[in-house]
C-alpha cells in the first residue's frame, strides 16, 4: 500500500525576486505545466510580486497556442528570512480544463 506522500502530485516551487527575468520564469512555468507538475511561485516584496505576475502573464502566451489555459490562485505565507518574519505572496498555478474547472478537480 502506498503512503499518502507518494500519491501526492509533484509540486514545483519557484522563488521569484525583483531581479528575476519574467521571460525565464515564464519558460520554467510553461515547462513544468506541460510536464504535469503543479507550480507554486513565492515572492517577497512589491518588485518580486511584479516580476512573478509578469511571468505568469507571459507563460499564458507560451501555453495558449498549444491549447493549455492556466489558472492562478494567490495566497499569503508567513516565512522566516535571516531570522526575520516576512509575508510572502504565493501563486499556485495549474492548468484549467475546457470546462472552466481546474484539471485536478475533475478526478475528484
Amino acid at each position: 500500500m502506498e503512503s499518502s506522500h507518494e500519491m501526492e502530485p509533484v509540486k514545483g516551487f519557484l522563488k521569484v525576486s525583483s531581479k528575476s527575468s519574467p521571460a525565464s520564469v515564464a519558460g520554467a512555468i510553461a515547462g513544468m505545466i506541460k510536464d504535469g507538475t503543479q507550480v507554486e511561485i513565492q515572492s517577497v516584496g512589491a518588485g518580486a510580486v511584479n516580476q512573478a505576475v509578469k511571468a505568469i502573464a507571459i507563460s499564458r502566451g507560451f501555453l495558449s497556442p498549444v491549447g493549455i489555459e492556466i489558472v492562478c490562485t494567490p495566497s499569503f505565507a508567513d516565512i522566516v528570512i535571516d531570522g526575520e518574519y516576512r509575508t510572502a505572496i504565493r501563486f499556485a498555478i495549474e492548468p484549467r480544463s475546457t470546462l472552466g474547472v481546474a484539471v485536478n478537480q475533475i478526478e475528484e
Side-chain angles (χ1 to χ4, degrees):
M1 181 174 186
E2 294 181 344
S3 71
S4 61
H5 180 268
E6 293 173 17
M7 297 173 64
E8 293 177 7
V10 176
K11 183 177 278 191
F13 192 78
L14 302 173
K15 292 183 181 180
V16 175
S17 78
S18 61
K19 296 177 181 168
S20 296
S21 162
S24 296
V25 176
I29 293 168
M32 293 164 75
I33 292 291
K34 286 178 183 178
D35 289 342
T37 304
Q38 290 182 351
V39 181
E40 193 165 294
I41 294 176
Q42 179 173 286
S43 303
V44 177
V49 170
N50 182 53
Q51 296 302 81
V53 171
K54 284 192 240 179
I56 294 166
I58 293 167
S59 70
R60 284 194 69 225
F62 292 163
L63 294 166
S64 289
V66 295
I68 301 172
E69 291 295 330
I70 57 173
V71 293
C72 172
T73 307
S75 63
F76 291 105
D78 294 320
I79 62 171
V80 178
I81 299 175
D82 297 330
E84 192 175 319
Y85 285 93
R86 306 284 304 267
T87 299
I89 303 287
R90 285 192 178 156
F91 299 96
I93 303 164
E94 52 192 5
R96 177 173 50 188
S97 75
T98 56
L99 302 173
V101 178
V103 172
N104 66 351
Q105 293 176 341
I106 293 173
E107 298 171 2
E108 294 178 354

